[in-house]
Amino acid sequence: MSRGYFSHIPPVEFKGVDSDDPLSYRYYDKNRVVLGKTMEEHLRFAVCYWHTFCWDGFDVFGAGTFERPWHTGVLDQDAADHKLDEAFDFFTRLGVPYFCFHDVDVMAAAATPAEHVKNLSVIVDRIEEKMAKTGVKLLWGTANLFSHPRYMAGAATNPDPEVAAFAALQVRHALEATHRLGGANYVLWGGREGYDCGLNTRMGQELDQLGRFLNMVVEHKHKIGFKGTILIEPKPHEPTKHQYDTDVATVYGFLERYGLEKEVRVNIEANHATLAGHSFEHEIQLAIDLGIFGSIDMNRGDPQNGWDTDQFPNDLREITLAVYYILQGGGFSTGGFNFDAKVRRQSIDPEDLFYGHIGAIDLTARALLNAAAMIEDGTLERFKEERYAGWKEGFGAKMLAGDVDLAGAADYALEKNIAPVRKSGRQEFLENYVTKFVK
Amino acid sequence: MSRGYFSHIPPVEFKGVDSDDPLSYRYYDKNRVVLGKTMEEHLRFAVCYWHTFCWDGFDVFGAGTFERPWHTGVLDQDAADHKLDEAFDFFTRLGVPYFCFHDVDVMAAAATPAEHVKNLSVIVDRIEEKMAKTGVKLLWGTANLFSHPRYMAGAATNPDPEVAAFAALQVRHALEATHRLGGANYVLWGGREGYDCGLNTRMGQELDQLGRFLNMVVEHKHKIGFKGTILIEPKPHEPTKHQYDTDVATVYGFLERYGLEKEVRVNIEANHATLAGHSFEHEIQLAIDLGIFGSIDMNRGDPQNGWDTDQFPNDLREITLAVYYILQGGGFSTGGFNFDAKVRRQSIDPEDLFYGHIGAIDLTARALLNAAAMIEDGTLERFKEERYAGWKEGFGAKMLAGDVDLAGAADYALEKNIAPVRKSGRQEFLENYVTKFVK
Amino acid sequence: MSRGYFSHIPPVEFKGVDSDDPLSYRYYDKNRVVLGKTMEEHLRFAVCYWHTFCWDGFDVFGAGTFERPWHTGVLDQDAADHKLDEAFDFFTRLGVPYFCFHDVDVMAAAATPAEHVKNLSVIVDRIEEKMAKTGVKLLWGTANLFSHPRYMAGAATNPDPEVAAFAALQVRHALEATHRLGGANYVLWGGREGYDCGLNTRMGQELDQLGRFLNMVVEHKHKIGFKGTILIEPKPHEPTKHQYDTDVATVYGFLERYGLEKEVRVNIEANHATLAGHSFEHEIQLAIDLGIFGSIDMNRGDPQNGWDTDQFPNDLREITLAVYYILQGGGFSTGGFNFDAKVRRQSIDPEDLFYGHIGAIDLTARALLNAAAMIEDGTLERFKEERYAGWKEGFGAKMLAGDVDLAGAADYALEKNIAPVRKSGRQEFLENYVTKFVK
Amino acid sequence: MSRGYFSHIPPVEFKGVDSDDPLSYRYYDKNRVVLGKTMEEHLRFAVCYWHTFCWDGFDVFGAGTFERPWHTGVLDQDAADHKLDEAFDFFTRLGVPYFCFHDVDVMAAAATPAEHVKNLSVIVDRIEEKMAKTGVKLLWGTANLFSHPRYMAGAATNPDPEVAAFAALQVRHALEATHRLGGANYVLWGGREGYDCGLNTRMGQELDQLGRFLNMVVEHKHKIGFKGTILIEPKPHEPTKHQYDTDVATVYGFLERYGLEKEVRVNIEANHATLAGHSFEHEIQLAIDLGIFGSIDMNRGDPQNGWDTDQFPNDLREITLAVYYILQGGGFSTGGFNFDAKVRRQSIDPEDLFYGHIGAIDLTARALLNAAAMIEDGTLERFKEERYAGWKEGFGAKMLAGDVDLAGAADYALEKNIAPVRKSGRQEFLENYVTKFVK
């Protein structure tokens, strides 16, 4: 049952590139086949619950601006139900196949462990009905281990193990709920798993706590038979001064250290990548190369602002390259594109939630077409193939295989009197090539 | 033999805290015993060859300003010898126990592999004599695999294996020279081991090349019996857009991936840490916690400028904390404080080289006194001990040991109906505490 | 009347440098005379109302942690009174001479213009009594034109003039209240005076609105006979993507454009300076050189985090230089050091509010002693005097005075065949000099 | 006469959007009329001499890689002539109407003032011939006051007035050469006009020196009858820690302070804008709104790197908005798009210089088509017109005109009991709108 907040918005339809209707898709034709799969299968779009239905438009400097009818000041079961109705109405009108949620996004507020378990259970029943009725699926679930004051000094990394126990309670039930709802993945973002101050922190101890906790999650996943992927979401800082899951490379080392590199993958967020000093494409390519690519939190930061702005993406070149690297890496398996993005706090109307999502969905679909064209053309991969050809045979291949030692390589240089011929890297040529496909 | 560039500067002596002589030490009394070791033994200061004797003051926007007498425009054997004489004269007058160098810093320029080997060999003989005569020791040696145009696309990570072979030649001979000169460590900084453009780069392939190359270096170290430590120096970018050895956490993951985490440690540079978005202390503490702490490149960046400024340190609080964490971690074993710092290009006089080093040495000695006082006082560690006490026994200890699973922890929370009591993190109190010791 | 939140904290006293009491001053002896004035007269410390008494510890990722007894969920007259009692109890125990406030910090929440005027008036009466009873004075007042949703698109720069009218109402009454309470200054910080998106913004129009608004404020100041200084507080961004009062140089240009450079000065915040890419000292020195230096908002940012962290200062070198430049510029006239700083959200105890302020006050007092010693020593100014001596006479003086034109200067160079002798800038020497005084 | 470095590259022609020839234009059809002017007239492209013909590919970490035939190690008249021949051959083959140069880019190196004047004069004669023969025009000239060691502490802002005299000599002759060659503008970029260290700097004194110097330049311009525009190029830092011409707002304040706001305009560089923490479009729009928009240095920085990378632009959305704002502001008068961009140091072939420029030219031409379509559509301006309509009449208009004072505005709010109705800022809608036109 819809409560009517979005009822004046007709279901969003694909109307083609010439459409002037800002509430239509110009590129996202979900059944269109690209490189052998439909757009829907490739892109696996999800709407996030928190930014879209929970956030009221507040920021550190000011109060909420949105006045959604379900923001009644008290998050009781009625408010949770109202929110759920509107959320599924939104998903359906928008036409996306997936959604994502934190436990506390969907449930009525709870004061005790027992109440937490109960309130979550109540709403999961209703979510299950909604999903059955609408066909909307769960891309991933997660537990919010950062908003409640109890987590002010961390969840799994808290100096107090009682807090970690509460975190375990939340994760257990969020993971089980995700399993029950057929979720494709389960995500952990360590919002408070880091430190504000080195003077009161034992980083090594906290890393061990986090490593143990993550192992507990993986063990539980197997115990209950959850077949989805466990994902960590890297971020360098904010809210903490330093978060342990800084970026893809850091997470990889952490997984190796705690024996989890085969069990856990990453959920890469564009804005977190840039806050960490990397391009979005870099983080994607690195995760693929390290074998831990999982899923995407789609948004963008502001290149001139130093905090997590979580804006809807609008850089076609960036997203074209992101999709290109994902497709080159084999595409999503369990992952997808979740819009971890929020409309600006001046965008107060229900329409604005549609504009934000439609723009991002269409941009990504357009990027898919661009990326597919680049793949079919093949120039980039041919260029790389040729550039690295020397390592495929002869001295290069032997060195890479471990059949040449340092002295052997040095002698080779000396005996051949080598004077390597430098070759242009052709960066501008390749950038122009990409520009041509960004259309 | 000195050529006289520094001959008007008397040997720098410890004159005590009330000294007004800017060419004296006010804190660095090398034989003063602090926490059971002399200052010299604790701090293991080194002067770097490149910034101090090779750089002529040029930057991207302008020509060199220093006009050192050995900068004659041609780096032939005479110039190399002249530079060497002045360098050891400087080391001696400054009174530091160690120096560091790249192969091409010390040798005459070479056009071919054979010439490289020969020219390096010639100067290493002379260095050996100088070291014997002066007692100055080698903290570490390294090979410059970034300045020559052949390395424009990387050394070990070059798309052309011939370039990697040249790199192998340089590293082999630099490592053997370091061994012969009794160096305490051998460092690899991958100035061009990264990429400028993702479009022409196979990151996974390049990482494998780098992993193999580093294994070759480690194998060679063992083969020749070098007992020093192999060190990697992290940096996030510059000169490349992205360097593979981004920061301590990234290097740790790389070492794990290529089976080197027991063989290789890190040489942490302050300015590289801040360019990577971390505090200097963070990188030190993390390396200690991960068991890969090795040595320090001492300098500072400009907090408002986004490139590697390599200035001499002058932040007493920062260095006090850095020394505190190093002492807490057991102090240096083979590592030391190398000043990878350069005087500003307006500081054109021989005196300025002394001012830069004296200021940094004195600051670090003062930091040592501060850090030692904090260790003797013990407040910080007691605070942490108490803060994490819950993980030492009972539920916390069991969870950390793996004796509690996720369901068990969740049940614990539920059954105990836990409502964790939050405790102040006391950040301001602890910061005030440190401020008191920074004097 | 105190409500007892701080009643277990004894009044903070000066106990000397050897004091181990973390609730005492080690340097701030308010009656100690330095360079002819007492510390209290030099430093003019103020506590801010908003961070210390209004903020409940929330951030974008989590709920409030502080649970102050006056944070009852509803900001009615009782809560406002309770807060006021505790605030003045805090000021008194801490022993600071000044405080600062926004209208909405102190008053009961208001729903209409009339209610705003009434509620502000009620609390101003009570503030007046408190001030009379305690002797605490007002450094500055201001109006909060950014937290209420009505200001989401700006106050004076709002596309809707009705919003600007509401802003005028707030400013008028806040200014008049400041006047009545004997405030030394009135501050305008344009939290929403900027833009989130260029696509919906007329920057030129908004600048004109802001220029006109500021002129209205200045005219009103004169009309009511307020003798204090009108101050603008620069900030580059956050909450908006771009704020019009970016930094000191930008504000100067704005004041010139709207004819206000003789009427308005700047209130410089340390964390805003660094967010704008400047050092704190730079902004102070520039404001002095441009003749618009007014007051200081004392805090610090985190050098690795890109948002306004508003931490209490703890960098003795930075504050020593800040105080040095202020003293060199003649010291404060109407301005002072207001602590626009907040304890971390894990610092939940009443003691923590004291630790934060005591550390900052003591640091600044220590910086004053350092700065005074540098001024008495005089080396820095003598160095500069000599360095620029060439501009005092001869060709330099004539050129500066406008008595030489471009052709004349060129001819001078040609005829004298000049080859300027370069002189060392002595940066490291001077930095060491400062290090010596930072103690 | 061409020396043949580019002779294997055929003249670059417009071949239409379907062209697969990477050495052709797909969008830049110079005679195509858009909004009443040809593309050539709108865009006024220029090639810069320094990056394209002087830079040899060196960076701070390594030697030059390009090996252009005119880089012979000595910059004598032969080398200067050779460079000039190749440069005009390049301009002609590329088909751009303008070029730009610094004095020392084009001339043989000079050791004395007299030699400077002579060597510049010699090459200006040859440039004049080249221009006459090829029809290539001069967009702007400038003097390099930053590369020579004499300028290490600034040019006009040097503590030594003799250095300022040398700067005057260079500027006088560069300005006169620009005048003689029919240059459309004269640019001043203050590469060393700033400071490295506040401790040895009198900022106020240096600003006065700079203000006087700029007045001398303006006076000389009028004296010699130069009708072009004098332009300042803002940059926040690099090579200095702080440059006085930080950004557009800072330059505006400086011009106001020294009475030059009607005489001097800005040359905005994209990479300098982003280094200053602004978007490129912001700087353009602000300069237009302040009445000081002049010309553009076209390039881009790397969003993850903190120094001036001067890459060729490839962000179609950014350039579309840049061109849109310029067109809305009336287009260029004397200014144009100068490519202050360099190929990467791995792009070592003559072809790469073409790829870099062709990509940038085509991108800008494509952006012009996009921007023109947005202007013809008119949605953005209509949206703004409506959004600010309240300020056109009634209370808003009166307040802006100065007919309402603060008390009047406050009373208006009170009497009308205003409760402003908030309206959506429609950011996502507008961003989607732009995305549609970026094609």
Side-chain angles (χ1 to χ4, degrees), chain C residues 94-164:
Chain C
L94 190 64
V96 291
Y98 292 100
F99 76 111
C100 298
F101 71 94
H102 298 87
D103 48 3
V104 304
D105 296 338
V106 291
M107 60 188 270
T112 63
E115 212 170 290
H116 181 92
V117 175
K118 177 166 153 286
N119 291 2
L120 179 62
S121 168
V122 168
I123 201 78
V124 169
D125 288 347
R126 298 186 190 176
I127 293 173
E128 198 167 36
E129 287 168 36
K130 289 281 184 190
M131 290 172 67
K133 197 170 303 177
T134 61
V136 174
K137 290 165 290 180
L138 179 62
L139 188 63
W140 47 264
T142 186
N144 177 324
L145 307 179
F146 47 90
S147 292
H148 193 282
R150 84 174 66 88
Y151 296 122
M152 73 178 195
T157 64
N158 202 290
D160 178 359
E162 302 260 305
V163 176

Side-chain angles (χ1 to χ4, degrees), chain A residues 126-416:
Chain A
R126 297 186 190 175
I127 293 173
E128 198 168 35
E129 286 169 36
K130 289 281 184 188
M131 289 172 68
K133 199 171 301 175
T134 60
V136 174
K137 290 166 289 181
L138 179 60
L139 186 64
W140 48 263
T142 187
N144 178 324
L145 306 179
F146 47 90
S147 292
H148 193 281
R150 85 174 64 89
Y151 295 121
M152 73 178 194
T157 64
N158 202 290
D160 179 358
E162 302 260 304
V163 177
F166 208 116
L169 177 91
Q170 280 190 248
V171 172
R172 177 201 184 165
H173 291 282
L175 178 56
E176 292 178 359
T178 300
H179 182 37
R180 177 174 153 203
L181 298 172
N185 310 270
Y186 182 84
V187 167
L188 294 110
W189 173 59
R192 307 273 177 197
E193 311 292 27
Y195 64 79
D196 288 326
C197 177
L199 301 177
N200 61 18
T201 303
R202 287 193 161 155
M203 183 158 39
Q205 157 87 21
E206 294 200 357
L207 287 171
D208 285 348
Q209 292 174 206
L210 192 59
R212 175 62 201 133
F213 192 89
L214 188 55
N215 267 291
M216 286 162 66
V217 175
V218 167
E219 291 156 12
H220 195 69
K221 163 195 152 159
H222 290 302
K223 186 169 140 193
I224 64 175
F226 178 60
K227 300 297 179 206
T229 310
I230 304 291
L231 299 170
I232 282 186
E233 181 169 325
K235 191 179 183 189
H237 47 230
E238 201 203 12
T240 67
K241 170 182 172 42
H242 174 88
Q243 291 193 218
Y244 296 132
D245 301 331
T246 305
D247 56 11
V248 168
T250 300
V251 168
Y252 177 80
F254 175 82
L255 295 178
E256 280 271 5
R257 185 169 179 85
Y258 296 101
L260 292 163
E261 73 278 8
K262 306 283 187 232
E263 291 283 358
V264 178
R265 294 172 163 246
V266 284
N267 182 40
I268 297 171
E269 178 173 324
N271 199 160
H272 295 179
T274 52
L275 285 172
H278 307 299
S279 71
F280 185 27
E281 309 96 84
H282 169 85
E283 289 289 88
I284 291 170
Q285 184 64 61
L286 181 59
I288 290 169
D289 286 338
L290 295 175
I292 58 170
F293 176 72
S295 196
I296 294 289
D297 262 19
M298 196 77 163
N299 58 28
R300 77 174 202 275
D302 183 294
Q304 278 85 41
N305 292 170
W307 62 93
D308 204 14
T309 65
D310 284 347
Q311 293 175 261
F312 284 95
N314 64 17
D315 183 336
L316 184 58
R317 183 183 192 95
E318 180 186 57
I319 305 307
T320 293
L321 286 172
V323 175
Y324 176 81
Y325 289 125
I326 291 171
L327 292 179
Q328 281 291 124
F332 289 118
S333 52
T334 59
F337 281 115
N338 172 50
F339 294 108
D340 189 358
K342 56 190 187 195
V343 293
R344 301 301 86 191
R345 90 191 263 282
Q346 291 189 46
S347 298
I348 56 178
D349 294 339
E351 283 79 355
D352 293 314
L353 287 174
F354 280 87
Y355 294 139
H357 284 88
I358 289 169
I361 286 171
D362 238 19
L363 189 87
T364 311
R366 200 171 158 188
L368 172 63
L369 297 173
N370 293 343
M374 283 165 61
I375 285 174
E376 286 176 335
D377 178 78
T379 295
L380 282 183
E381 293 313 305
R382 273 194 307 276
F383 184 90
K384 291 184 186 179
E385 190 66 28
E386 191 179 330
R387 195 174 193 223
Y388 291 88
W391 291 93
K392 288 280 179 114
E393 53 185 359
F395 169 78
K398 273 192 256 172
M399 181 166 154
L400 204 52
D403 296 335
V404 177
D405 66 7
L406 192 72
D411 289 345
Y412 172 84
L414 198 59
E415 283 155 22
K416 276 199 61 177

